[in-house]
Amino acid sequence: MKKNSKLLGFIQKYTMIIALVLVVVIFSITTDGKLLFAQNINNLISQNAYVFVLATGMLLCILTGGNIDLSVGSVLCFCGAVGGTLLSKNTPIILAVLAMLGIGLAIGAWQAFWIAYVRVPPFITTLSGMLVFRGLANVVLDAKSVRVSNEVYLKIFGGGAECFILKGEAAKTLCLVVGVAAIVVFVGATLLSRINRAKKGYTVEKFVPYIIKTVAISAVIAFFAYKLSQFKGLPTVLIWIGLVVGTYSYITSKTTIGRHFYAVGGNEKAAKLSGINTNRVYFLAYTSMGMLAALSAMLVVARMASATPQAGESYEMDAIGSCFIGGASAYGGIGTVPGVIIGALLMGVINMGMSIMGVDMNYQKVVKGLVLLAAVIFDVATKKKNS
C-alpha cells in the first residue's frame, strides 16, 4: 500500500513530464522518426517562441487567483503593427523596438490600473482590450499586411534564413558548448539549492528521485543541443526565450515579490493582512504581461517578415493552455515557469506531430482542447482529493 501511494505521488508530481515523454515517443513512432529530425527540433523552438514568452507572463496573472489576460493576442498585433509600419519606413531599429516596448508597457499598465486599483474584473478588462487593440491594429495597418525587410532586425529577433548565431563548424561547436554549460549551471544550481535547504532544516527531495530527475533533464538539454548542432546552430530566438524564462523563473522562485504572487493567489485576504500590497501584485502581473506581449510581437514580426492584421489570433489561448497544462492551478497560487515551458512544449509537440502526419487543422484543435480539459480536470480532482 505504501509503495502504491509513493508511486501515485510520483506520478502526480511529474504527470506533465511523463505525458511529454509519452507524446514524443508516440509521435516519433507514428512519423517514422521525422519528429526528431534536427530541422523539426529547430522549428519547434522557432514556431513556438511566442508561446514560451506569452505563457511565462500569463503565469503571473494566473498565480494571482486563476485570472487570465485575454488581450495578449490583440496587444501583440497592435505592437507589431506599429513596429512593422515604422520598420517599413526605414525607421532606426532601436526606435522601432523602443516604440513597441513602450506601447506594450503602456497598455499593460493601463489595464493593470483598472484591474488592480479600480478592481474591474480581469476577464472584463482584458476582453475589452482584446477588442480595442485588435481594432487599433487594423486602423494602423489599414487592414493590409506590411512587409519588413530589415535584415539586421530579422536576424536579431529570429526571422529569415540567417537567424542563427555563427555559421558552419563554429555554430556546431557553440551549440555543444552552450549545452554543456547549461547542464553544468542546472546541476550546480539544483545541488546548491538542495544543500541550502538541508542546512536550514527544510524537507528535501529524496536522493534517488533527485538523481533521476537531474539526469533526465540534463539528457534532454544535451539532446536539444546536439540536434540543433546538426542543423544550423543556435537560433537567435532561443536567446530571447532563455532570457525571459531564466529571469521569470528566478523572480518567481527566489525573490520576495515572486512569493507575493503565490501568496495572493493562495489567499488574498490573508496576504493583505500580512502586509502584502495586493494591488501592486496585480499591477505588476498585468504590466509585465503587456511588456512580454510587445516582445512576442517583435519575434512574430521577425519570423513572418511582416506585420499582419491577423497576427496574434488565438495566441492568448495557446498561452493560457500552456499554463494550465504545465501545472498551473485554475484557482491560482500554484504553478512554476519550468512547468509552463513543459506545457508549451507538449502543445508544440502535439501540433508538430499532427502536422507531420497530415492531420486536419480542425482535428488538431479538437485534440488541443481535450488535452487542456484533461489538465484542468486533473487539477480539480487533485484539489478535491487533498482537501
Side-chain angles (χ1 to χ4, degrees), residues 263-288:
V264 170
N267 189 323
E268 184 177 350
K269 288 183 179 178
K272 195 168 187 177
L273 289 172
S274 67
I276 294 174
N277 187 335
T278 56
N279 290 347
R280 185 180 68 168
V281 171
Y282 280 105
F283 187 85
L284 289 175
Y286 284 90
T287 302
S288 166

Side-chain angles (χ1 to χ4, degrees), residues 15-16 19 23 51 55 58 62 66 68 70 314-330 339-340 343-344 346-348 350-351 354 363-381:
T15 301
M16 288 305 116
V23 167
V51 183
M58 190 67 72
I62 292 173
I68 56 176
L70 293 174
S314 298
Y315 283 13
E316 60 276 355
M317 296 305 152
D318 290 332
I320 294 166
S322 296
C323 288
F324 288 135
I325 290 170
S329 173
V340 166
L346 181 60
M347 295 285 276
I350 290 172
N351 284 339
M354 289 192 292
Y363 286 112
Q364 291 188 32
K365 291 178 181 178
V366 171
V367 172
K368 287 166 65 176
L370 291 174
V371 170
L372 174 57
L373 179 61
V376 176
I377 289 173
F378 179 80
D379 172 49
V380 173

